[in-house]
Amino acid sequence: GVLTGKIEKITDPTKQTAKCDECADERKGQPILGLTILRNVKKNGNDAELWDGGDILDPGNGKVYRVRLRPIDGGKKLEVRGFVGMPLLGRTQTWIRVE
């Protein structure tokens, strides 16, 4: 019942061996390829389409944010909202599933 996510592919050939030097937790110094960036995300009890309650790591700056996930377009895309405090104080990215 808990969702996690890790980086499986890096498209930039110059960053294949990059490490999370800015991370402040146990991920500090770990290779970004294979790094777990989504942790402890659970299905929301009030909204069947929403997953929340966990956190997401930005490996570029090492910051950890609270996260909300919502599948869209029948699961072909994923709205990822990282925020501090309240969901209003954050930003949303749309991730597209690789076929």
Side-chain angles (χ1 to χ4, degrees), residues 18-30:
K19 297 187 183 297
C20 194
D21 296 325
E22 301 296 322
C23 293
D25 58 15
E26 73 279 355
R27 296 173 280 195
K28 183 170 182 68
Q30 297 296 315

Side-chain angles (χ1 to χ4, degrees), residues 67-80:
V67 70
R68 289 182 128 179
L69 307 173
R70 184 179 302 277
I72 54 176
D73 288 344
K76 294 179 181 176
K77 297 179 183 178
L78 183 67
E79 280 186 354
V80 180

Side-chain angles (χ1 to χ4, degrees), residues 14-81:
T14 64
K15 296 184 179 182
Q16 295 298 317
T17 59
K19 297 187 183 297
C20 194
D21 296 325
E22 301 296 322
C23 293
D25 58 15
E26 73 279 355
R27 296 173 280 195
K28 183 170 182 68
Q30 297 296 315
I32 292 177
L33 188 60
L35 190 67
T36 299
I37 60 168
L38 279 171
R39 300 189 298 189
N40 303 318
V41 182
K42 299 175 186 138
K43 195 167 193 91
N44 184 293
N46 298 324
D47 185 343
E49 298 268 327
L50 184 66
W51 293 72
D52 60 7
D55 59 57
I56 187 167
L57 168 74
D58 180 345
N61 62 19
K63 293 183 180 179
V64 177
Y65 303 94
R66 293 176 60 196
V67 70
R68 289 182 128 179
L69 307 173
R70 184 179 302 277
I72 54 176
D73 288 344
K76 294 179 181 176
K77 297 179 183 178
L78 183 67
E79 280 186 354
V80 180
R81 181 150 188 89

